[in-house]
CSV table of all heavy atoms in Angstrom, one decimal:
chain,number,residue,atom,x,y,z
A,300,VAL,N,-0.1,-18.8,-22.7
A,300,VAL,CA,0.3,-19.1,-21.5
A,300,VAL,C,0.7,-17.8,-20.8
A,300,VAL,O,1.4,-17.1,-21.2
A,300,VAL,CB,1.4,-20.1,-21.3
A,300,VAL,CG1,1.8,-20.4,-20.0
A,300,VAL,CG2,1.0,-21.5,-22.1
A,301,ALA,N,0.0,-17.5,-19.6
A,301,ALA,CA,0.5,-16.4,-18.7
A,301,ALA,C,0.9,-17.1,-17.5
A,301,ALA,O,0.7,-18.2,-17.1
A,301,ALA,CB,-0.6,-15.5,-18.6
A,302,LEU,N,1.4,-16.2,-16.5
A,302,LEU,CA,1.9,-16.7,-15.2
A,302,LEU,C,1.1,-16.1,-14.1
A,302,LEU,O,0.7,-14.8,-14.1
A,302,LEU,CB,3.4,-16.4,-15.0
A,302,LEU,CG,4.4,-16.9,-16.0
A,302,LEU,CD1,5.8,-16.6,-15.7
A,302,LEU,CD2,4.2,-18.6,-16.2
A,303,GLY,N,0.8,-16.8,-13.0
A,303,GLY,CA,0.2,-16.5,-11.8
A,303,GLY,C,1.0,-16.8,-10.6
A,303,GLY,O,1.6,-17.8,-10.6
A,304,THR,N,0.7,-15.9,-9.6
A,304,THR,CA,1.3,-16.3,-8.3
A,304,THR,C,0.6,-17.1,-7.4
A,304,THR,O,0.9,-17.8,-6.5
A,304,THR,CB,1.8,-15.1,-7.6
A,304,THR,OG1,0.5,-14.3,-7.3
A,304,THR,CG2,2.7,-14.2,-8.4
A,305,ASP,N,-0.8,-17.2,-7.7
A,305,ASP,CA,-1.8,-17.6,-6.7
A,305,ASP,C,-1.7,-16.8,-5.5
A,305,ASP,O,-1.1,-15.7,-5.5
A,305,ASP,CB,-1.6,-19.1,-6.4
A,305,ASP,CG,-3.0,-19.8,-6.2
A,305,ASP,OD1,-3.9,-19.1,-5.8
A,305,ASP,OD2,-3.1,-21.1,-6.4
A,306,SER,N,-2.2,-17.2,-4.4
A,306,SER,CA,-2.2,-16.3,-3.1
A,306,SER,C,-1.0,-16.7,-2.4
A,306,SER,O,-0.3,-17.7,-2.5
A,306,SER,CB,-3.4,-16.7,-2.2
A,306,SER,OG,-3.1,-17.9,-1.5
A,307,VAL,N,-0.5,-15.7,-1.5
A,307,VAL,CA,0.6,-16.0,-0.7
A,307,VAL,C,0.4,-17.0,0.4
A,307,VAL,O,1.3,-17.5,1.1
A,307,VAL,CB,1.2,-14.6,0.0
A,307,VAL,CG1,1.6,-13.7,-1.1
A,307,VAL,CG2,0.1,-14.0,1.0
A,308,ALA,N,-0.9,-17.4,0.6
A,308,ALA,CA,-1.2,-18.5,1.5
A,308,ALA,C,-0.7,-19.8,0.9
A,308,ALA,O,-0.5,-20.8,1.6
A,308,ALA,CB,-2.7,-18.5,1.8
A,309,SER,N,-0.5,-19.9,-0.4
A,309,SER,CA,-0.2,-21.2,-1.0
A,309,SER,C,1.0,-20.9,-1.9
A,309,SER,O,1.4,-21.7,-2.7
A,309,SER,CB,-1.3,-21.6,-1.9
A,309,SER,OG,-1.5,-20.7,-3.0
A,310,ASN,N,1.9,-19.9,-1.6
A,310,ASN,CA,3.0,-19.6,-2.5
A,310,ASN,C,4.4,-19.7,-1.8
A,310,ASN,O,5.3,-20.5,-2.2
A,310,ASN,CB,2.8,-18.4,-3.3
A,310,ASN,CG,3.9,-18.2,-4.3
A,310,ASN,OD1,5.1,-18.3,-4.2
A,310,ASN,ND2,3.5,-17.9,-5.5
A,311,ASN,N,4.8,-18.8,-0.9
A,311,ASN,CA,4.2,-17.8,-0.1
A,311,ASN,C,4.6,-16.4,-0.4
A,311,ASN,O,4.7,-15.6,0.5
A,311,ASN,CB,4.5,-18.1,1.3
A,311,ASN,CG,3.9,-19.4,1.9
A,311,ASN,OD1,3.5,-20.2,1.2
A,311,ASN,ND2,3.8,-19.5,3.2
A,312,SER,N,4.8,-16.1,-1.6
A,312,SER,CA,5.2,-14.7,-2.1
A,312,SER,C,4.7,-14.3,-3.4
A,312,SER,O,4.1,-15.2,-4.1
A,312,SER,CB,6.8,-14.6,-2.1
A,312,SER,OG,7.3,-15.5,-3.0
A,313,LEU,N,4.8,-13.1,-3.6
A,313,LEU,CA,4.3,-12.6,-5.0
A,313,LEU,C,5.5,-12.0,-5.7
A,313,LEU,O,5.9,-10.9,-5.6
A,313,LEU,CB,3.3,-11.4,-4.7
A,313,LEU,CG,2.1,-11.7,-3.8
A,313,LEU,CD1,1.3,-10.4,-3.5
A,313,LEU,CD2,1.1,-12.7,-4.5
A,314,SER,N,6.1,-13.0,-6.4
A,314,SER,CA,7.3,-12.6,-7.2
A,314,SER,C,7.2,-13.3,-8.6
A,314,SER,O,7.3,-14.4,-8.7
A,314,SER,CB,8.6,-13.2,-6.5
A,314,SER,OG,9.8,-13.0,-7.4
A,315,MET,N,7.1,-12.3,-9.6
A,315,MET,CA,7.1,-12.9,-10.9
A,315,MET,C,8.4,-13.4,-11.5
A,315,MET,O,8.4,-14.2,-12.3
A,315,MET,CB,6.4,-11.8,-11.9
A,315,MET,CG,5.9,-12.4,-13.3
A,315,MET,SD,4.6,-13.6,-13.0
A,315,MET,CE,3.3,-12.7,-12.4
Side-chain angles (χ1 to χ4, degrees):
V300 177
L302 300 182
T304 61
D305 214 338
S306 78
V307 299
S309 64
N310 188 312
N311 291 22
S312 61
L313 303 174
S314 171
M315 199 57 70

